[in-house]
Amino acid sequence: MDNQSAALSSVEVLIEAVGSGSQVALQRLYEIESRRLYGVALRIVRRQEIAAEVLQETFLQIWQNAAAFSHERGAGAAWLTGIVRFRALDAVRKADREVPSDDPRLGDEAVEPDVIDKIGASAEADALRRCFKLLDPEQQRCIILAFVDGLSHSEVVAHIKAPLGSVKSWIRRGLLSLRRCLEQ
């Protein structure tokens, strides 16, 4: 794969080229996706230096495992996001960090930006944004806490002060609604 074709390729094509050993494709993939993936990592680990390490480990794992990627099982961007999310969650567990409280007197007030607004402007992101807005507010919040912030179901329960059964139900029904909407 030459420089020009790598510059024009989709994420899926770049991942497949990386799987074939193309360093140019890896570089282009990094140029395209590193800012978004760094943002995902930073949202989970909440420390810039750890997010940078997570991003480096993510691209090392991409280099090593790109040959296993299959576009039939999902979008390339989702595959990349899954890798960085699991790496970030591992980093959080290893660091055994404290979670910021919601007490503004402590100076570490938790801020929940609109995650959907931070997703890229691709057609898939537009569809996801449209479908996500159709969900109930409880479903939206639980899905963000579980899949963006990386909280377990019991941590989501503690965060929003709702029964475990309700949280599990909101997440499951929300994901099913998203799937149905995105398949249309």
Side-chain angles (χ1 to χ4, degrees):
M1 172 175 275
D2 62 16
N3 288 340
Q4 186 175 12
S5 60
L8 301 174
S9 296
S10 70
V11 171
E12 287 80 8
V13 171
L14 288 170
I15 293 171
E16 289 175 3
V18 170
S20 299
S22 172
Q23 293 178 354
V24 172
L26 182 67
Q27 180 180 353
R28 182 64 183 146
L29 188 63
Y30 182 86
E31 291 168 358
I32 293 171
E33 290 289 323
S34 63
R35 290 185 70 192
R36 182 181 69 81
L37 296 175
Y38 176 79
V40 171
L42 185 59
R43 180 158 171 89
I44 294 171
V45 301
R46 298 185 182 185
R47 290 185 45 204
Q48 292 179 352
E49 65 277 5
I50 296 175
E53 289 175 22
V54 165
L55 185 65
Q56 180 180 1
E57 292 171 2
T58 296
F59 274 91
L60 179 61
Q61 185 173 348
I62 291 166
W63 176 252
Q64 294 169 340
N65 298 325
F69 170 74
S70 171
H71 66 278
E72 288 88 22
R73 294 189 332 197
W79 186 72
L80 298 173
T81 302
I83 293 172
V84 77
R85 181 177 176 273
F86 288 118
R87 287 284 179 180
L89 291 172
D90 284 345
V92 167
R93 289 181 192 114
K94 286 179 187 173
D96 196 29
R97 69 168 175 83
E98 293 181 9
V99 178
S101 73
D102 289 330
D103 187 350
R105 296 173 292 163
L106 297 176
D108 61 354
E109 183 175 355
V111 178
E112 195 168 311
D114 187 6
V115 175
I116 298 301
D117 288 339
K118 293 188 176 195
I119 295 176
S122 71
E124 290 174 349
D126 290 340
L128 178 59
R129 190 177 296 112
R130 177 183 51 79
C131 292
F132 194 79
K133 288 180 181 178
L134 297 175
L135 298 178
D136 294 334
E138 296 87 10
Q139 292 172 332
Q140 291 177 357
R141 189 159 188 219
C142 289
I143 288 172
I144 287 173
L145 289 170
F147 292 96
V148 177
D149 289 344
L151 300 182
S152 68
H153 286 116
S154 58
E155 290 170 327
V156 173
V157 164
H159 190 77
I160 67 171
K161 311 277 190 277
L164 180 61
S166 297
V167 168
K168 287 182 174 182
S169 178
W170 289 331
I171 292 173
R172 178 164 170 63
R173 281 188 268 145
L175 291 175
L176 290 172
S177 295
L178 281 176
R179 178 186 290 167
R180 280 192 301 271
C181 180
L182 291 171
E183 288 174 349
Q184 294 177 353

